[in-house]
Amino acid sequence: MRALVVSQLSDDLSGVELRDLPQPVRKSGEVLVSVKAASLNFPDLLMTRGAYQFKPEPPFVSGMELAGGVIEADADAVFQVGDRVTGGAKTGGFAEIASVPATSLRAIPEGVSYAQAAAMGAAYSTAYTALVELGGLKAGQTVLVHGASGGVGLAACDLAQALGATVIAATHREDKLERLGVASRADHVILNTARFREQVSDLTDGHLCDLVFDPVGGDVFDESTRCVTFGGKLLVVGFVAGRIPEIAVNIPLIKGFSVVGVRAGEYARRFPERGAAIRDAVDTLLTEGRLMPHIDRTLPLDQWREAFDAMEAGEIIGKIVLEP
């Protein structure tokens, strides 16, 4: 089978190559999946450099999220041959065949394509965990979403819209404003450069935001502390900007807001019943047609370099999907 292999860690993808490998040997409890689509995530890029918190030893097959059809499973497994499934693990997705723990998979809802299913994955689970499970999002509230052109940020915009919130989508790229407005369906789109608090105040008539979704960190986090209304929540999702910010605790005390750390995967592992409920809630919204995952482009696996380069350059809005 063909697979995208990280043979050595490097900063320029020089250690990544498309190879022919033996088909993976399925272990008990795993499901062998014929991969039809796999989505690219920022951690996939970081893992080629050894810069992600999970550091697999090379060589390994890249790719965290996939969708496809079951070709082999345990006799008593939940999923059987022919079932359409999506999910994945921390590696192995960018291949024609993957062996995945059955517990890491779920059925693809009727009417949802393989590409859509692969693009949903962790992005929407993270968005739901942050905004609804930990943020307590209610219809009519105002949500500021940073990094809105990325897969997770765009999922947060989509979910907040579906649940009746007013959405302010923020990006640091002026050249993305128009495209982001279309893709996110947000009520407002702003540049989160310099002092964006004034823009937020003007758009909300001084109310500011009930929830701020921040996968960026750095200066964006610092300014976001000025954008949360009293009783609101600043949801810390990641640090794409590179700098991990710090906050003096008198700021949330005086302004009356909470800073909430979001680790969606860890949350689901610690509270598996809640994790399952989150996945079910997302699938229900999807089948009802209330969610509209945005795919920036779909490429064959042999064009993996274009996909990784586009993510590195910040060109994409939403997700890139690779098809083996």
Side-chain angles (χ1 to χ4, degrees):
M1 68 167 193
R2 294 192 313 159
L4 189 64
V5 179
V6 180
S7 56
Q8 63 182 29
L9 304 178
S10 63
D11 290 334
D12 59 0
L13 300 175
S14 60
V16 185
E17 58 185 340
L18 200 58
R19 281 191 198 171
D20 287 320
L21 296 180
Q23 176 177 306
V25 177
R26 185 184 65 84
K27 300 175 183 177
S28 178
E30 293 183 342
V31 173
L32 211 59
V33 178
S34 175
V35 180
K36 304 301 182 185
S39 66
L40 179 62
N41 292 278
F42 197 68
D44 294 319
L45 177 63
L46 294 179
M47 275 190 269
T48 69
R49 305 168 177 169
Y52 190 55
Q53 53 257 41
F54 173 66
K55 295 177 172 59
E57 284 291 327
F60 62 91
V61 176
S62 183
M64 298 176 67
E65 295 184 317
L66 59 86
V70 175
I71 55 177
E72 187 181 304
D74 293 339
D76 59 349
V78 173
F79 300 112
Q80 292 298 312
V81 175
D83 287 346
R84 299 168 72 242
V85 294
T86 185
K90 293 177 180 177
T91 59
F94 295 145
E96 292 179 320
I97 298 173
S99 191
V100 184
T103 53
S104 298
L105 296 171
R106 67 184 190 278
I108 298 176
E110 191 70 29
V112 177
S113 70
Y114 287 120
Q116 287 177 314
M120 295 283 291
Y124 278 82
S125 294
T126 298
Y128 197 99
T129 301
L131 295 176
V132 181
E133 189 78 5
L134 300 178
L137 176 65
K138 297 178 179 61
Q141 290 186 323
T142 299
V143 180
L144 171 60
V145 178
H146 292 299
S149 62
V152 174
L154 204 54
C157 291
D158 192 22
L159 178 64
Q161 283 275 357
L163 297 179
T166 296
V167 178
I168 303 173
T171 177
H172 72 288
R173 296 269 299 258
E174 189 170 2
D175 60 334
K176 284 187 174 183
L177 286 174
E178 185 174 347
R179 292 169 58 208
L180 179 57
V182 174
S184 68
R185 301 179 294 122
D187 299 277
H188 311 284
V189 180
I190 65 170
L191 283 172
N192 57 2
T193 54
R195 296 293 183 179
F196 54 83
R197 191 263 187 196
E198 285 72 18
Q199 295 180 73
V200 171
S201 181
D202 290 343
L203 291 172
T204 60
D205 294 327
H207 172 75
L208 302 179
C209 300
D210 301 285
L211 297 173
V212 176
F213 182 94
D214 180 20
V216 178
D219 295 344
V220 165
F221 175 91
D222 296 340
E223 183 69 358
S224 290
T225 63
R226 305 176 65 232
C227 298
V228 192
T229 194
F230 195 92
K233 295 180 181 179
L234 203 172
L235 305 165
V236 179
V237 184
F239 312 105
V240 173
R243 178 173 70 84
I244 298 176
E246 299 178 354
I247 184 171
V249 294
N250 66 311
I251 296 175
L253 169 66
I254 293 170
K255 296 198 65 178
F257 68 83
S258 304
V259 178
V260 181
V262 179
R263 292 184 64 197
E266 184 64 19
Y267 186 87
R269 282 187 286 273
R270 289 177 178 264
F271 309 107
E273 290 185 1
R274 294 306 311 148
I278 288 167
R279 291 191 294 272
D280 288 346
V282 170
D283 285 346
T284 297
L285 290 168
L286 182 62
T287 55
E288 290 174 351
R290 297 170 64 188
L291 296 179
M292 298 174 62
H294 182 78
I295 297 173
D296 185 273
R297 68 192 78 170
T298 301
L299 298 170
L301 185 57
D302 58 10
Q303 291 180 230
W304 66 269
R305 184 68 189 239
E306 177 185 335
F308 277 74
D309 285 347
M311 174 163 281
E312 171 74 20
E315 296 173 0
I316 63 174
I317 291 181
K319 283 298 206 57
I320 291 181
V321 173
L322 295 174
E323 294 181 335

